[in-house]
Amino acid sequence: MSNKSNFFSSFATAVAELSGRPFTFVAALMLVLLWAISGPYFDYSETWQLVINTTTTIITFLMVFVLQNSQNRDGKALQAKLDELILTSQAANKFVGIEKLDEGELREMSKTLAEKAESVEEKAEEKSAAEASG
């Protein structure tokens, strides 16, 4: 990975970490309150309104990219961990890479798994009822 890519990943991780802290929320809330309190001083002008609109729009726009980068990396790391667990367990290896299937294929696989889980649950209930009565 290039230095620019490493830098952006590190930056995105740091921003995601900071943006999720209570202090960051309180700081943002205080800035909005300060802006609202300053309204009478600026006579609630269009410029006064434009300041908050522009500021929040720019921050939101940039945060989308930063947080998406962080979420993408987290998702890929989680997928790699799950693939490793599947490959080193008795689970069916057909589940490795299913995140690349299209929506219909995923829905069908999910339906099949739900049916299997229901069947296993019924068998477990039957077994526990048989053990309780026997």
Side-chain angles (χ1 to χ4, degrees):
M1 205 173 351
S2 72
N3 282 344
K4 287 182 183 180
S5 199
N6 276 338
F7 172 77
F8 186 72
S9 290
S10 298
F11 174 75
T13 300
V15 169
E17 177 72 25
L18 287 171
S19 66
R21 292 188 178 172
F23 172 79
T24 308
F25 173 78
V26 171
L29 181 63
M30 297 306 285
L31 284 172
V32 170
L33 288 174
L34 183 66
W35 169 81
I37 291 168
S38 72
Y41 178 75
F42 292 103
D43 207 25
Y44 299 103
S45 68
E46 287 185 24
T47 304
W48 173 79
Q49 293 176 32
L50 192 60
V51 167
I52 196 71
N53 290 339
T54 304
T55 303
T56 56
T57 301
I58 290 170
I59 290 171
T60 302
F61 179 74
L62 295 175
M63 287 297 288
V64 165
F65 297 104
V66 170
L67 295 177
Q68 188 62 51
N69 176 272
S70 184
Q71 187 176 15
N72 288 349
R73 284 183 293 107
D74 288 349
K76 286 177 184 174
L78 181 61
Q79 193 59 52
K81 291 175 186 179
L82 289 172
D83 288 350
E84 178 65 16
L85 287 172
I86 290 168
L87 291 170
T88 60
S89 71
Q90 299 299 318
N93 287 347
K94 68 180 180 179
F95 294 108
V96 173
I98 65 169
E99 69 278 2
K100 294 178 180 93
L101 298 177
D102 68 31
E103 191 69 30
E105 292 170 317
L106 281 173
R107 202 173 296 119
E108 186 61 37
M109 186 171 270
S110 181
K111 181 180 172 187
T112 303
L113 288 171
E115 290 168 358
K116 251 186 199 178
E118 203 171 288
S119 172
V120 169
E121 186 178 335
E122 288 172 5
K123 287 180 185 176
E125 287 174 359
E126 289 171 6
K127 186 176 180 178
S128 98
E131 288 175 356
S133 65

